[in-house]
Amino acid sequence: MVLIMKKTLTILGITAGLVLGAVGMAEAQKSKVRYADQQMELMNYQHALDIYQEAYAKKPNYETARKTAVAQDKVRDYGQAYTWWKTVAGYEEVTNEDYIQLLRTGILSDNFEEAKGLIEAKGLTADSLGISPGSIPQSARKLKVEGIEGLNSSESDFSMIEDAQGNKYFVSDRGGSYSKKMPGIRIDGRNKFFSPESSGQTDRGYFTVYKQDKAGNITQVVSNVPNSLSFSDPSYAAKDNLLFYSVTRSITKVKKNRNITVQPEIYYSKVSPDGKLEGFTAFPYNDSIGYAVMHPFVDEQTKRLYFSSDMPGGMGGYDLYYSEYTDSMTFSAPVNLGPEVNTSGNETHPFRKDNKFYFSSTGHKGLGGMDIFEASYSPTAIGKVSNMGVPVNSLADDFAYREDKDRTVYLSSNRRGGMGLDDIYMAKEMYKQFLARVLDCNGAVITSSYLATFRDKTQGIMVPTGRNGKGELTAQLEPESDFGITITKPGYFPLTDESITTKGFAGDTVKREYVLMPIPYQLPVHVDIVYYDLDKFVIRKDAMPALDKLAEMMKKYSFLDLLVASHTDSRASDEYNITLSNNRAKAVTEYLGTKGIDANRVRLEWFGESQLINDCGNGKPCAEENHQLNRRSELVLEAFPDPTKQYEIPQELKDMNFCEPEEIFEKLQDEINDIPTIYFDFDKSMLRSVHKKELERTAIMLKRMPNLMLYIEGHTDQRGDDTYNQKLSERRAKSVMDYLIQRGVETNRLEHQWFGETKPVHNCNEVTCTPAMHQLNRRTELRVGKSSYGYTGRQKKVDT
């Protein structure tokens, strides 16, 4: 037996007596072998097998032995088939194809090692012939195939579908045995037809469609097509509530030719609310006498009816076709699916889901009698056919593949271990699905340029990953395992998730959402300045505390390095000043070396007199304090200083949101505490010299950190009236703002506000204030932030 619906219903005469008379005449007129060949064509395999064996017993030869082996294959007696293929292998005429059949039936009958030894004695190998247990392709999906409990019977059951209400329709010949005198010919589980009078296996009823409701109750669906013998291949169209199906009718009116072959046809009917069929309409391209039209699959999304047929113009055997239909069920002329799908063998049981097309075939390379194949689908082409492998396919016949919305697979097979000749199997996904959206800081899905390393920690293996149509990361996960994933992308911090598990996970898909955060290379987190004496590069004592603080921070945080940018005043020549600024930068490196900081962590720049901070250029008269401001080394503590390095997120910053890198600055400010507060003399708004140095640091910080805003708040002490103090605090805030603008800070990054005497550090209206306490009230406070005014930023603490 094979898995397809071939030429179906052969009526050998009008009555059983006429059939027997025709057989008698045939036996009288033809040799036993020729007669058996006819029976094979009529698919009466058991009867043909009996005749072949009688003929071989009288006259053994290669040809009859081979035909007997083929007939044994057809009736699925694989043990006897193997015995006969061994007989075939003993003849000189044996071919490689015969050896392949010997190996195949050896696998099916647990005689593979013996078969392998037989062909190795002939100088061949199983691998060279492409047949061995290891050569069976494996399914890309990890499925567990099990017979459906409560549905299969001891008879033949196959081709299951589901309607919109969850009712299951399938085909079966259950219902008891019939007398040998029953008229006509019956179908087997693969839509083959046999004469009850010539086969001891076929004394059961014709196939028909059954319905199993959601409660598990099974009832027969009655075909209302007149004279239906076989009723099979249901396909449900939910939108129009139509059931398409194949029927083979009994044709009793024969004018001249007594021997006609009645072919299966496609019909469709409306399905009533109680599941009964209402009316019937024939597919317009049926030809019950000329050719078979069967295995309908209605594809509502594309408005195509796919089917199998041996109509003229095909590629041999049964080919797959489609016919497009309209809302009024007008069908276009059939279109052959072409040579990538159809072969000289038989292609049957079409099915489409999404961008995949499924069918069964004896013509494409497989190991069983009929295998299920998968092809890529588009509205204009179906191709790239591949065998679906084990466990979808077996060493027997596998057909009628269907897949529902949750990817549960249904298929039919006569594989070993079933309940009947054919059984319906459900293949559940053993893998859990993994779906992750990898996002950038703006929430957009990153679709490329990153590497995902997925580990099954329980199995100790790597897990392949892929991308779906949305660019999301996908993988298939073993059940009851723990996993870890690492995602890397140049310029981004690697992301690791060790919390993924399928242990006890009841769902189908493990979902995650990850944000890849860019590494903020050379991010300034602290700025300071050290000053030098005229024509000197020795580190002064007043510079040592700043450098000691930097050394302490660098030892504490390995992700921090120091940029030293050194300068001179305008006195002396340009060439001399370049050398002097270089020596000043080196002096910082040497000092930090005494504190245990490797020179490799200090990046040096020197500019001579090219970047003066004031108008003290060549020949211009300038106060010494202004020249002093130019004799400096700007010290910029940078996080993640090497742009070529792929940094890990530091342990100290594990909870940091690197999509907002200024948060690193804010975090470290709690330790560094270097945002200055500017103090003023009584009734003055002029900046003191000492505060100019502090504002120099602030200006450098703002220029190197372009996303920071500075908020300037002016205050006074409580002497003088409120109106005067409001104006004075405004002037103090503005003097700070103006200085920073002169130093190149953009105006739109500076916001100032003034409070007069309303926010004193010491309330001198309640206590008697000392001059020092009044001084602390005469101030302009600076705060940094990232948003509009009112942001609660960091403020220097004042010891009161």
Side-chain angles (χ1 to χ4, degrees), residues 288-344:
S288 62
I289 303 301
Y291 51 81
V293 180
M294 56 190 176
H295 304 145
F297 167 66
V298 57
D299 186 344
E300 294 183 274
Q301 186 178 16
T302 62
K303 287 188 174 294
R304 288 180 176 180
L305 178 69
Y306 291 91
F307 60 92
S308 178
S309 177
D310 61 346
M311 64 176 57
M315 298 180 183
Y318 290 89
D319 283 1
L320 294 180
Y321 294 80
Y322 72 84
S323 175
E324 295 181 335
Y325 63 89
T326 64
D327 290 339
S328 61
M329 302 310 288
T330 300
F331 292 87
S332 68
V335 177
N336 190 291
L337 293 192
E340 283 208 58
V341 173
N342 293 315
T343 68
S344 60

Side-chain angles (χ1 to χ4, degrees), residues 707-778:
N707 294 326
L708 283 182
M709 292 283 294
L710 184 70
Y711 305 99
I712 305 166
E713 299 176 350
H715 303 269
T716 68
D717 62 23
Q718 293 169 295
R719 291 174 287 187
D721 63 51
D722 292 347
T723 302
Y724 181 85
N725 284 337
Q726 279 287 334
K727 295 291 185 180
L728 180 59
S729 64
E730 180 184 1
R731 292 195 301 273
R732 286 173 175 171
K734 191 173 185 303
S735 68
V736 172
M737 182 174 175
D738 288 345
Y739 187 92
L740 293 172
I741 291 172
Q742 291 173 6
R743 293 295 294 114
V745 180
E746 298 93 335
T747 304
N748 61 3
R749 296 178 57 203
L750 303 172
E751 292 191 13
H752 69 301
Q753 197 173 25
W754 46 94
F755 297 95
E757 61 182 79
T758 60
K759 293 185 176 182
V761 175
H762 299 288
N763 190 343
C764 297
N765 294 326
E766 296 179 357
V767 298
T768 301
C769 285
T770 65
M773 295 168 70
H774 284 301
Q775 173 67 91
L776 291 176
N777 288 337
R778 297 193 301 268

Side-chain angles (χ1 to χ4, degrees), residues 35-46:
Y35 172 72
D37 290 345
Q38 282 187 330
Q39 297 305 304
M40 287 292 288
E41 290 181 7
L42 296 176
M43 305 175 191
N44 294 326
Y45 299 132
Q46 184 62 54

Side-chain angles (χ1 to χ4, degrees), residues 358-614:
Y358 304 90
F359 62 97
S360 296
S361 175
T362 61
H364 290 279
K365 186 177 180 180
L367 193 58
M370 173 169 276
D371 281 357
I372 298 170
F373 293 83
E374 176 186 84
S376 62
Y377 170 86
S378 75
T380 58
I382 299 175
K384 297 182 181 179
V385 173
S386 62
N387 191 299
M388 291 200 71
V390 173
V392 172
N393 289 315
S394 68
L395 297 173
D397 300 316
D398 306 285
F399 59 104
Y401 180 96
R402 293 291 186 270
E403 186 176 314
D404 65 15
K405 292 180 181 179
D406 68 359
R407 301 191 80 208
T408 299
V409 168
Y410 298 96
L411 59 94
S412 303
S413 179
N414 64 338
R415 63 187 63 191
R416 297 174 69 184
M419 292 181 63
L421 290 175
D422 297 293
D423 286 300
I424 300 171
Y425 292 85
M426 179 169 61
K428 285 188 174 180
E429 194 82 59
M430 288 185 66
Y431 285 122
K432 300 293 185 180
Q433 302 304 309
F434 178 79
L435 181 67
R437 300 175 74 233
V438 182
L439 309 176
D440 63 18
C441 286
N442 296 320
V445 176
I446 301 175
T447 60
S448 61
S449 302
Y450 68 84
L451 175 66
T453 304
F454 216 148
R455 307 172 305 281
D456 186 328
K457 297 186 288 188
T458 303
Q459 304 290 330
I461 58 174
M462 303 306 294
V463 179
T465 62
R467 306 283 198 279
N468 64 15
K470 298 179 180 178
E472 297 164 324
L473 184 67
T474 61
Q476 293 182 324
L477 307 183
E478 290 277 355
E480 301 302 314
S481 285
D482 294 320
F483 302 87
I485 188 172
T486 298
I487 301 173
T488 58
K489 178 178 172 65
Y492 290 75
F493 289 111
L495 186 152
T496 299
D497 182 2
E498 300 290 347
S499 68
I500 304 167
T501 185
T502 54
K503 291 180 177 177
F505 182 71
D508 296 322
T509 304
V510 178
K511 295 183 179 180
R512 290 289 190 273
E513 188 168 275
Y514 301 119
V515 176
L516 276 183
M517 295 183 288
I519 301 171
Y521 288 114
Q522 297 182 348
L523 175 71
V525 296
H526 172 60
V527 175
D528 214 330
I529 302 176
V530 294
Y531 293 94
Y532 301 89
D533 292 332
L534 176 65
D535 199 27
K536 303 294 184 185
F537 55 83
V538 175
I539 301 299
R540 299 190 323 204
K541 287 186 178 180
D542 63 354
M544 291 179 181
L547 293 174
D548 291 344
K549 181 194 294 184
L550 290 171
E552 180 183 345
M553 294 292 292
M554 293 173 74
K555 284 191 282 189
K556 183 175 182 180
Y557 299 114
S558 61
F559 59 89
L560 298 178
D561 281 0
L562 184 66
L563 167 63
V564 181
S566 294
H567 307 265
T568 69
D569 61 24
S570 61
R571 292 173 284 190
S573 68
D574 291 349
E575 183 179 352
Y576 180 86
N577 284 334
I578 284 289
T579 302
L580 180 59
S581 63
N582 186 5
N583 288 333
R584 286 173 175 170
K586 290 179 180 177
V588 173
T589 304
E590 291 169 359
Y591 182 88
L592 292 175
T594 65
K595 302 297 179 179
I597 303 302
D598 193 294
N600 291 328
R601 297 184 62 192
V602 183
R603 182 162 58 95
L604 302 181
E605 296 177 350
W606 53 94
F607 301 93
E609 62 181 270
S610 65
Q611 295 186 6
L612 302 178
I613 67 171
N614 47 38

Side-chain angles (χ1 to χ4, degrees), residues 191-372:
N191 298 326
K192 293 285 190 154
F193 288 73
F194 293 84
S195 166
E197 285 73 27
S198 59
S199 172
Q201 299 183 27
T202 59
D203 56 350
R204 301 189 305 278
Y206 292 104
F207 284 97
T208 192
V209 175
Y210 287 81
K211 182 183 79 171
Q212 183 186 52
D213 63 23
K214 288 186 287 187
N217 303 309
I218 295 176
T219 56
Q220 184 176 344
V221 180
V222 177
S223 168
N224 50 13
V225 177
N227 303 317
S228 294
L229 293 179
S230 175
F231 171 33
S232 63
D233 305 328
S235 179
Y236 182 70
K239 180 181 177 182
D240 297 309
N241 196 26
L242 296 176
L243 189 73
F244 287 73
Y245 47 88
S246 303
V247 296
T248 305
R249 297 179 293 132
S250 172
I251 299 177
T252 57
K253 293 182 180 181
V254 180
K255 294 182 179 180
K256 295 181 179 180
N257 190 352
R258 290 174 175 266
N259 298 330
I260 62 172
T261 302
V262 181
Q263 312 280 7
E265 305 165 279
I266 292 176
Y267 284 79
Y268 59 93
S269 299
K270 205 80 172 175
V271 181
S272 69
D274 60 359
K276 294 181 180 180
L277 302 186
E278 297 178 347
F280 60 90
T281 304
F283 178 54
Y285 297 98
N286 290 335
D287 186 344
S288 62
I289 303 301
Y291 51 81
V293 180
M294 56 190 176
H295 304 145
F297 167 66
V298 57
D299 186 344
E300 294 183 274
Q301 186 178 16
T302 62
K303 287 188 174 294
R304 288 180 176 180
L305 178 69
Y306 291 91
F307 60 92
S308 178
S309 177
D310 61 346
M311 64 176 57
M315 298 180 183
Y318 290 89
D319 283 1
L320 294 180
Y321 294 80
Y322 72 84
S323 175
E324 295 181 335
Y325 63 89
T326 64
D327 290 339
S328 61
M329 302 310 288
T330 300
F331 292 87
S332 68
V335 177
N336 190 291
L337 293 192
E340 283 208 58
V341 173
N342 293 315
T343 68
S344 60
N346 298 294
E347 281 70 47
T348 65
H349 300 91
F351 173 70
R352 184 191 74 85
K353 184 181 179 187
D354 300 327
N355 62 348
K356 296 294 183 182
F357 186 83
Y358 304 90
F359 62 97
S360 296
S361 175
T362 61
H364 290 279
K365 186 177 180 180
L367 193 58
M370 173 169 276
D371 281 357
I372 298 170

